[in-house]
């Protein structure tokens, strides 16, 4: 760019700046514009208010015409007074309203809520809405607009009737079981001619604001999901962290559950909800008192002739695996609901571990009235005892590599060039084979423990038995145990510091140090240099775990703390009880025996040696080809 061009650009910039400055409005003009904007805002707001008022007046006029027109369907049921009916047993107290003939409040007895009340209120009339819609020839029939008359009221049952006209009615019957199930049947009497010939379904719109029941909002929110069950078996759920609106489900489902961490409300149908299913889950803000905004738009069977009732079952239930299994036995829908899947036990492998091992051990220890914290310790010790033989075998393999390290360094000291890497590995593998040592066995402890760790990661947060259970300094094993807390959320940390999380991270640091020392003693050359970077990464992992697990339940952190502490203790004991000189003598004897009776390599070692030999041949071929080209 030459001098003239630069001067030109500068002049253009000066002209633009001057023009902008010259044309900017004066102080009086700016004040007039602000006044004008304020007037327009007021006018716009007034217009919106008038529009809302007109809409309210329109609805009031429509309602007045309905009341005056005695020929309309459900004319008498469109007006009335709200009547409340309470159904209760030892486990539940349900309040039903005649407006819509639905449950407006559900209380589970015997479980303390987040505010210290002795019972848990799952929802009330302000947080939950349920409406059944029937599409008739002349008008849609929405149950939430009708006043039903309650009759045949007992402690466990009630019948609601909405009169549509002479000999026409909708009847809704409820029957509460001995525990957590409420059976519902809906029948239309004498109304066959009111519907189109092809009408076979009824629309259901179910909404709920899922209440926060536990102290830890973040942790409870993570385990609160809109869950549904496929008619053919198995469950799925909407993502618990992201907003989902009107998500469709491709396969037929037969129940939907509005679930939080330890309690669920389930609505199941005798047939299925068809393919036109729309599900919504919207996470709420911390401090709102709610976890999720749920909505389910469903269709189920409906017989306009009144011959076959629409049958539904509602479950207001704690998420207890064994309890859910027993409650399902009372179902009259004639299908396998698999309600126990509301307790998420992990992916198939981890679910298998929890389903057929952890649950049985947990139930057995609970039957002995042992404190929950002690149960977690005993489960840890049992798992350590089961895996100890494999852990010891793995440790001894690492110890063998450690005592052989000087011999490996001596045998490969002349192979220090980069191009000798393959040959160096071959020599090492050959020596390992002669001494009968597998270099991969040292990875076994982590491979053994990882599935168990992940299985417990899924089991402990979903175990309602830990809820409100104290142990040592911990008030509630199902949520975090703060030693310091404050009002505002800090990035990555939140509003507290959990003591069990600190203990878990400290035990993790100790275990990582033992592991790194063990691996350090058996590595040499370039591997040892690479291990320095790995050592720093392993030491930083506990810090990362702190930010991840500070919001997690103290029961889970306590289990990990105990598990890692005993893992480190086992490694320390094995290290102290292993005599390197005796071990080396055993290996030398094994080598002499192998020399007399040489064995062919097999398994992974053989495949690794074959691969190395193939790479070496390819390298020689490339070198020869390069020499020929240079010779030309």
């Amino acid at each position: 760019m030459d001098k003239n061009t630069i001067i030109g650009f500068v002049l253009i910039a000066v002209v633009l700046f001057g023009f902008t400055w010259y044309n900017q409005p004066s102080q009086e003009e700016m004040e007039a514009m602000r006044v004008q904007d304020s007037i327009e805002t007021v006018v716009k707001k007034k217009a919106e208010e008038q529009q809302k008022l007109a809409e309210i007046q329109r609805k009031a006029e429509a309602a007045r015409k309905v009341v005056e027109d005695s020929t309309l369907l459900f004319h008498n049921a469109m007006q009335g007074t709200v009547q409340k009916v309470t159904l209760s047993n030892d486990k539940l107290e349900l309040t039903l309203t005649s407006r819509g003939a639905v449950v407006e409040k559900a209380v589970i007895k015997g479980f303390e809520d987040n505010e210290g009340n002795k019972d848990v209120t799952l929802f009330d009339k302000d947080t939950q809405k349920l409406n059944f819609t029937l599409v008739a020839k002349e008008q849609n029939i929405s149950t939430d607009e009708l006043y039903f008359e309650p009759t045949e009221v007992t402690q466990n049952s009630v019948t609601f009737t909405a009169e549509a006209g002479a000999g026409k009615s909708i009847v809704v019957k409820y029957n509460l079981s001995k525990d957590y199930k409420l059976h519902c049947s809906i029948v239309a009497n004498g109304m066959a001619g009111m519907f189109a010939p092809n009408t076979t379904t009824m629309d259901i719109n179910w909404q709920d604001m899922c209440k926060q029941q536990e102290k830890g909002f973040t942790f409870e929110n993570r385990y609160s999901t809109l869950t549904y069950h496929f008619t053919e078996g198995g469950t799925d759920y909407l993502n618990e962290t992201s907003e989902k609106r009107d998500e469709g489900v491709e396969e037929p489902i037969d129940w939907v559950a509005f679930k939080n961490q330890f309690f669920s409300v389930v609505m199941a149908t005798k047939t299925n909800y068809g393919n036109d299913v729309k599900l919504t889950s919207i996470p709420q803000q911390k401090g709102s008192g709610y976890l999720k905004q749920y909505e389910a738009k469903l269709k189920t069977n409906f017989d306009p002739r009144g011959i076959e009732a629409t049958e539904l079952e509602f479950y207001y239930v704690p998420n207890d695996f064994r309890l859910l299994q027993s409650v399902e036995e009372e179902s009259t829908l004639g299908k396998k609901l698999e309600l126990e899947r509301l307790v998420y036990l992990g992916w198939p492998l981890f679910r298998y571990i929890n389903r057929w091992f952890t649950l049985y051990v947990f139930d057995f220890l609970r039957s002995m009235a042992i404190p929950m914290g002690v149960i977690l310790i005993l489960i840890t010790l049992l798992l350590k005892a089961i895996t100890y033989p494999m852990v010891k075998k793995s440790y001894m393999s690492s110890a063998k590599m450690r005592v052989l390290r000087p011999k490996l360094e001596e045998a490969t000291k002349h192979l220090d060039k980069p191009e000798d890497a393959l040959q160096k590995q071959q020599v090492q593998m050959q020596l390992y084979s002669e001494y009968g040592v597998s270099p991969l066995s040292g990875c076994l402890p982590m491979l053994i423990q990882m599935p168990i760790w992940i299985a417990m990661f899924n089991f402990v947060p979903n175990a309602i038995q830990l809820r409100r259970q104290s142990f040592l300094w911990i008030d509630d094993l199902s949520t975090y145990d703060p030693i310091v807390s404050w009002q505002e959320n800090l990035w990555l940390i939140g509003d507290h510091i959990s003591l069990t999380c600190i203990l878990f991270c400290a035990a993790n640091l100790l275990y990582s140090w033992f592991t790194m020392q063990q691996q350090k003693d058996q590595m040499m050359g370039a591997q040892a240099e690479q291990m320095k970077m790995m050592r720093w990464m392993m030491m930083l992992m506990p810090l990362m775990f702190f930010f991840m697990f500070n919001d997690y339940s103290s029961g889970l952190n306590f289990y990990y703390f105990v598990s890692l502490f005993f893992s480190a203790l086992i490694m320390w004991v094995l290290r102290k009880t292993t005599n390197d000189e005796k071990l080396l003598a055993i290996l030398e004897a094994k080598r002499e025996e192998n020399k007399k009776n040489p064995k062919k390599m097999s398994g992974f070692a053989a495949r690794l040696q074959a691969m190395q030999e193939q790479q070496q041949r390819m390298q020689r071929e490339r070198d020869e080809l390069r020499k020929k080209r240079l010779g030309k």
Side-chain angles (χ1 to χ4, degrees):
M1 185 179 295
D2 57 20
K3 181 178 179 182
N4 293 334
T5 303
I6 295 172
I7 293 173
F9 277 121
V10 171
L11 290 174
I12 291 172
V14 170
V15 170
L16 289 174
F17 177 78
F19 181 78
T20 303
W21 177 82
Y22 179 78
N23 285 279
Q24 67 179 351
S26 64
Q27 195 69 24
E28 292 78 7
E29 291 174 330
M30 292 177 67
E31 183 63 27
M33 290 171 63
R34 280 197 293 269
V35 172
Q36 181 64 28
D37 290 341
S38 300
I39 294 173
E40 290 178 357
T41 302
V42 171
V43 171
K44 184 178 179 181
K45 185 178 291 187
K46 188 173 182 180
E48 291 176 352
E49 291 176 354
Q50 290 177 344
Q51 186 176 359
K52 290 180 180 178
L53 181 61
E55 180 66 19
I56 293 172
Q57 292 174 344
R58 185 189 66 77
K59 290 183 178 180
E61 180 64 20
R64 184 184 63 78
K65 290 182 179 180
V66 168
V67 172
E68 292 177 353
D69 189 354
S70 60
T71 64
L72 285 177
L73 199 62
F74 291 103
H75 166 74
N76 293 328
M78 290 288 185
Q79 51 189 324
T81 57
V82 175
Q83 301 180 61
K84 304 294 179 66
V85 176
T86 300
L87 305 182
S88 65
N89 56 26
D90 294 338
K91 309 294 179 61
L92 282 180
E93 182 176 289
L94 305 176
T95 303
L96 294 87
T97 174
S98 61
R99 177 68 184 268
V102 294
V103 178
E104 71 171 15
K105 183 178 181 181
V107 176
I108 297 182
K109 299 179 181 180
F111 291 88
E112 183 181 327
D113 69 2
N114 191 37
E115 298 174 354
N117 300 313
K118 64 178 182 178
D119 300 323
V120 167
T121 300
L122 295 182
F123 61 83
D124 54 34
K125 63 180 181 179
D126 297 324
T127 60
Q128 196 252 19
K129 180 181 178 182
L130 177 60
N131 180 42
F132 304 102
T133 302
L134 301 169
V135 181
K137 289 180 179 178
E138 298 180 0
Q139 67 186 76
N140 290 345
I141 303 168
S142 296
T143 57
D144 65 351
E145 298 176 352
L146 304 180
Y147 290 86
F148 289 75
E149 184 67 26
T151 58
E152 303 175 12
V153 179
T154 69
Q155 184 178 356
N156 304 107
S157 63
V158 63
T159 299
F160 288 103
T161 305
E163 297 293 340
K168 302 179 180 64
S169 64
I170 291 180
V171 179
V172 183
K173 293 184 178 182
Y174 288 102
N175 188 278
L176 179 62
S177 70
K178 64 181 181 179
D179 42 40
Y180 299 99
K181 187 197 74 173
L182 179 69
H183 184 272
C184 171
S185 67
I186 304 173
V187 178
N189 294 324
M191 298 182 62
M194 302 294 176
F195 301 95
N198 60 348
T199 298
T200 58
T201 61
M202 171 175 62
D203 292 338
I204 301 175
N205 184 266
W206 187 23
Q207 303 174 28
D208 182 42
M209 292 294 292
C210 182
K211 296 180 67 175
Q212 180 181 347
Q213 304 288 358
E214 313 304 322
K215 179 173 65 176
F217 171 85
T218 304
F219 190 64
E220 185 183 5
N221 205 16
R222 186 179 293 114
Y223 289 91
S224 300
T225 59
L226 192 156
T227 306
Y228 49 91
H229 181 264
F230 297 108
T231 304
E232 298 299 323
T235 58
D236 203 350
Y237 57 90
L238 298 187
N239 187 284
E240 65 272 19
T241 58
S242 61
E243 180 177 309
K244 299 293 181 181
R245 293 180 181 269
D246 290 336
E247 287 285 310
V249 181
E250 297 180 357
E251 301 178 39
I253 61 176
D254 52 20
W255 60 253
V256 173
F258 291 167
K259 172 181 177 291
N260 67 4
Q261 185 179 4
F262 293 124
F263 305 96
S264 295
V265 182
V266 184
M267 181 168 61
T269 180
K270 187 172 184 178
T271 53
N272 59 61
Y273 289 125
N275 296 318
D276 191 16
V277 173
K278 301 295 182 184
L279 304 176
T280 296
S281 176
I282 304 174
Q284 302 300 293
Q285 293 295 320
K286 185 176 183 178
S288 66
Y290 300 99
L291 304 169
K292 300 282 197 316
Q293 177 185 335
Y294 291 140
E295 183 176 9
K297 298 175 183 177
L298 312 164
K299 288 182 182 291
T300 191
N301 70 299
F302 172 70
D303 184 2
R305 302 166 300 169
I307 298 175
E308 183 179 349
T310 299
E311 291 191 56
L312 302 171
E313 285 182 350
F314 295 88
Y315 296 88
Y316 310 93
V317 64
N319 298 331
D320 183 324
F321 191 92
R322 299 301 187 194
L323 185 146
L324 289 166
Q325 286 182 317
S326 64
V327 167
E328 185 177 333
E329 294 176 0
E330 299 179 11
S331 174
T332 59
L333 299 182
K335 58 173 64 177
K336 187 169 180 59
L337 296 175
E338 297 182 303
L339 291 176
E340 70 274 9
R341 284 185 171 266
L342 285 169
V343 181
Y344 182 70
L345 297 179
W347 292 348
L349 171 61
F350 314 121
R351 179 179 176 82
Y352 185 85
I353 294 172
N354 285 327
R355 175 68 180 84
W356 301 108
F357 174 77
T358 312
L359 269 170
Y360 282 98
V361 174
F362 193 71
D363 291 342
F364 172 74
L365 294 175
R366 280 185 61 217
S367 68
M368 301 171 66
I370 299 174
M372 286 299 166
V374 177
I375 288 177
L376 291 176
I377 295 174
L378 292 177
I379 290 176
T380 305
L381 293 176
L382 177 60
L383 292 172
K384 294 301 176 186
I386 293 173
T387 58
Y388 178 76
M390 292 177 285
V391 171
K392 182 179 180 181
K393 182 179 179 181
S394 174
Y395 174 83
M396 294 307 298
S397 178
S398 298
K400 292 174 183 177
M401 294 174 66
R402 182 181 69 246
V403 299
L404 288 176
R405 177 181 171 183
K407 294 184 176 295
L408 289 172
E409 290 177 339
E410 179 66 24
T412 59
K413 64 181 180 180
H414 62 287
L415 301 172
D416 55 352
K417 297 179 181 178
E419 57 268 22
D420 297 331
L422 287 175
Q423 188 178 353
K424 187 175 184 178
Q425 288 181 358
Q426 278 188 316
V427 172
Q428 291 175 355
M429 292 303 297
Q430 181 62 36
L431 281 174
Y432 283 142
S433 177
E434 291 176 3
Y435 284 100
V437 175
S438 173
L440 294 178
S441 297
C443 303
L444 194 58
M446 186 59 69
L447 295 177
I448 295 170
Q449 296 182 68
M450 190 58 69
I452 297 173
W453 274 34
I454 297 176
M456 294 300 289
F457 178 84
N458 289 296
F459 178 81
V460 174
N462 288 295
I464 193 173
Q465 295 82 1
L466 297 178
R467 188 177 187 267
R468 302 298 190 267
Q469 295 297 309
S470 61
F471 182 68
L472 298 177
W473 69 90
I474 305 170
D475 294 329
D476 186 349
L477 285 165
S478 69
T479 187
Y480 59 82
D481 57 319
I483 53 170
V484 179
S485 59
W486 49 88
Q487 295 297 323
E488 299 296 328
N489 278 334
L490 297 181
W491 183 62
L492 291 178
I493 298 179
D495 58 4
H496 67 276
I497 294 178
S498 175
L499 178 55
T500 51
C501 183
I502 294 176
L503 293 175
F504 158 47
C505 293
N508 194 3
L509 185 65
L510 180 64
Y511 177 75
S512 298
W513 185 82
F514 274 115
T515 303
M516 296 305 297
Q517 286 298 115
Q518 181 176 324
Q519 294 178 353
K520 175 186 173 183
D521 292 341
Q522 66 191 42
M523 291 186 176
M524 57 185 186
Q527 289 181 330
E529 291 298 320
Q530 294 172 1
M531 201 62 197
K532 291 180 181 178
M533 181 61 69
M534 183 65 70
R535 191 179 305 120
W536 281 106
M537 293 177 62
M538 291 292 287
M539 293 303 174
L540 287 174
M541 282 297 290
L543 180 62
M544 296 174 58
F545 280 134
F546 172 78
F547 295 117
M548 293 170 57
F549 284 82
N550 190 43
D551 268 325
Y552 273 66
S553 72
S554 54
L556 182 63
N557 280 324
F558 182 74
Y559 165 77
Y560 282 155
F561 159 66
V562 175
S563 178
L564 284 166
F565 175 79
F566 279 108
S567 294
L569 181 62
I570 289 170
M571 292 183 67
W572 180 81
V573 170
L574 288 173
R575 182 71 178 89
K576 289 296 182 180
T577 56
T578 301
N579 188 313
D580 288 358
E581 294 180 358
K582 290 183 178 180
L583 182 59
L584 182 58
I586 293 172
L587 291 175
E588 291 291 355
K590 182 71 174 178
R591 185 185 189 190
E592 293 300 322
E593 182 182 347
N594 288 337
K595 284 182 178 180
K596 296 177 182 178
N597 301 294
K599 296 180 181 179
K600 187 178 180 181
M601 278 190 184
S602 61
F604 178 81
R607 291 193 295 272
L608 181 61
Q609 184 179 27
M611 183 172 62
Q612 290 174 343
E613 291 175 353
Q614 183 180 6
Q615 290 176 342
Q616 198 170 17
R617 285 195 301 270
M618 293 173 64
Q619 183 64 41
R620 286 197 298 268
E621 291 174 359
R622 285 194 292 267
D623 292 342
E624 292 176 1
L625 183 60
R626 190 181 299 109
K627 289 178 181 178
K628 289 181 180 179
R629 289 177 178 174
L630 292 174
K632 292 181 179 180

